[in-house]
Amino acid sequence: MIITRTPFRVSFAGGGSDLASFYEKHEGCVVSTSINRYMYITIHPSFNREVTSVKYSQTENVKSVRDIKHPIVKQLLLDYKINGVEISSNADVPFGTGLSTSSAFTVGLINALNAFKGVLVSQEEIAARACKLEIDELGEPIGKQDQYGCAIGGLKYIRFLKDGTVDVEPIVLSRNRRQMLSENLLLFYTGLTHSAGDILSEQSKNVVSDKDKFENTLLMTELANKMRDALLHEDLSNFGEMLNEGWKLKRNLASKISNSVIDDYYMKAIDNGASGGKLLGAGGGGFLLMYCEKQNQERLRCALNDLVELPFDLENGGTKVIYIGDKK
């Protein structure tokens, strides 16, 4: 049995510049971190070696891998020439909530399959393989930040170069500043889920056809650079304001990124002590990330008391194998 654990990611600035429609014209970049909430993937030989089982929100039992309905599992098992196994997934948060659950699943499964075959690969290679699968092979209208954000741990600055390559630079904070950043960030679940593909597809088309939206994305990359520089100087004084500035830019990139419910919650948070924030992921639902200093947090929690808060901390590690049993 192999078990992998892959952290979810929180993106702070630059989201959308990881889409090919943008970075093929201008280098993209994001600031993001992995957090201590995870996707777990388990793989082991099936009791009946003629059957391959896949357990996620559904359960599939097939004799031929080609009959698997889950596109990611099907393609990877075909690529790795593996059958007669049982694969299951468990996650700390629901899918479609903006924490990169889909890419964390892909990254974790690639890691598990390599370990199952006894192949050692780097986190960068896992991220690149996940991008190739989701974007090139399956044609998902998504970017590259989620795969790298989940595969490679820690607080980081990720660049998306015009030739399609990706460069990851860690952002190292002192223990005190790292703790302050973590303590001032709060996550609230809006109760809404979204289709990231639909929103990102519209956003990608808008970036190509609308000069103003391209300029918005360009301003978001400039903000990501500004945030990176501030973090490298351990300056958190304007972190919330930078989140707020980025959210104002992002919400105009596509029609379904925000809605009246999300806007109401966001303004309520700002009116009750938060200095800024953003909706995580593509938009349309999921988690609101708010930056709020400790002395204002109780007021903020009271104002958003009908939302579920998800406690979390920053995570240094990326995807990893946490258990290896006997292969029987």
Side-chain angles (χ1 to χ4, degrees), residues 158-202:
I158 311 174
R159 296 164 60 218
F160 309 98
L161 308 182
K162 289 183 178 181
D163 63 1
T165 58
V166 179
D167 180 71
V168 181
E169 172 190 320
I171 299 175
V172 181
L173 297 179
S174 66
R175 181 178 298 179
N176 287 341
R177 273 293 182 266
R178 178 184 172 83
Q179 182 177 351
M180 180 183 293
L181 177 61
S182 183
E183 289 177 348
N184 288 348
L185 292 169
L186 294 90
L187 277 176
F188 297 94
Y189 182 45
T190 64
L192 306 172
T193 57
H194 65 273
S195 171
D198 292 344
I199 296 171
L200 290 172
S201 181
E202 180 192 348

Side-chain angles (χ1 to χ4, degrees), residues 21 24 29 43 45 56 97 108 115 123 125 137 160 170 184 195-196 208 222 231 238 244 251 259 276 309:
S21 57
E24 287 177 352
C29 58
I43 179 171
Y56 47 109
T97 53
Q123 292 177 336
E125 290 173 305
E137 297 178 16
F160 309 98
N184 288 348
S195 171
V208 173
E222 293 175 0
L231 288 170
N238 295 312
N244 185 55
R251 65 190 306 280
N259 55 52
E309 183 180 356

Side-chain angles (χ1 to χ4, degrees), residues 30-31 39 49 57 81 120 134 174 182 197 266 299 320 325:
V30 300
V31 175
M39 172 71 68
R49 301 300 172 86
S57 58
K81 297 180 173 57
L120 181 64
E134 293 184 322
S174 66
S182 183
Y266 186 85
R299 180 157 59 101
K320 62 180 63 177

Side-chain angles (χ1 to χ4, degrees), residues 52 64-68 70-83 85 87 109 113 117 129 133 137-138:
T52 298
S64 171
V65 169
R66 294 188 181 278
D67 292 332
I68 294 174
H70 195 296
I72 293 170
V73 178
K74 176 182 177 179
Q75 189 62 52
L76 285 175
L77 289 181
L78 289 173
D79 290 346
Y80 282 86
K81 297 180 173 57
I82 292 175
N83 56 51
V85 295
I87 295 171
L109 182 55
L113 292 173
K117 296 200 76 171
R129 180 67 188 92
L133 171 69
E137 297 178 16
L138 298 181

Side-chain angles (χ1 to χ4, degrees), residues 80-96:
Y80 282 86
K81 297 180 173 57
I82 292 175
N83 56 51
V85 295
E86 182 175 310
I87 295 171
S88 61
S89 67
N90 291 280
D92 288 338
V93 298
F95 277 78

